[in-house]
Amino acid sequence: MDNKKMHANEDNKSLEASKESDYNKAVIELKTILVGLKEMSNQSLSNYWTEEDIKEVQATMDKLDYESLQYKKGVLKNLEDFQQEKWKNLLEREDDDK
């Protein structure tokens, strides 16, 4: 009986080692696939956007952000003037712009 238990124990260890080996192989294969996908993704992006394109888009966005901020400041200034009953000054400024 001890001999059978010993063989069964060895078989279980062998089976566990085999499963662990299969798991490790699967993990390595998955990592390899993921690395390949990442490389393909980077190549795909570079086909559509160059660094120069990205810089140009960023510069345009920065310019629009600045213009939007200036516009907001102007609107807020006009609202403050209106609230402080300086609306006459606003109307005079509009007349001067014409």
Side-chain angles (χ1 to χ4, degrees):
M1 200 67 156
D2 287 332
N3 199 15
K4 286 184 181 180
K5 285 183 182 179
M6 193 167 72
H7 284 295
N9 195 15
E10 288 176 7
D11 288 343
N12 284 339
K13 286 182 182 179
S14 176
L15 184 60
E16 287 176 20
S18 176
K19 286 181 181 180
E20 186 176 336
S21 176
D22 290 343
Y23 173 79
N24 288 335
K25 287 178 187 176
V27 168
I28 291 170
E29 185 178 346
L30 180 59
K31 285 182 181 179
T32 303
I33 290 170
L34 291 174
V35 167
L37 286 173
K38 184 177 180 183
E39 288 174 2
M40 287 172 44
S41 173
N42 289 338
Q43 289 173 356
S44 178
L45 285 176
S46 68
N47 289 337
Y48 297 105
W49 294 92
T50 64
E51 275 191 51
E52 186 176 313
D53 291 335
I54 293 169
K55 287 179 183 177
E56 184 179 326
V57 168
Q58 187 61 49
T60 302
M61 289 173 53
D62 291 344
K63 179 183 174 195
L64 292 173
D65 284 345
Y66 176 78
E67 290 172 355
S68 175
L69 180 62
Q70 296 306 312
Y71 177 76
K72 289 175 187 175
K73 285 180 180 179
V75 168
L76 289 174
K77 175 73 172 118
N78 288 342
L79 288 172
E80 287 173 4
D81 288 349
F82 182 77
Q83 286 175 343
Q84 295 173 5
E85 296 185 16
K86 296 182 183 176
W87 57 273
K88 291 179 186 176
N89 294 342
L90 290 174
L91 294 176
E92 288 173 4
R93 257 194 284 168
E94 284 183 12
D95 289 340
D96 290 343
D97 290 342
K98 289 181 182 178

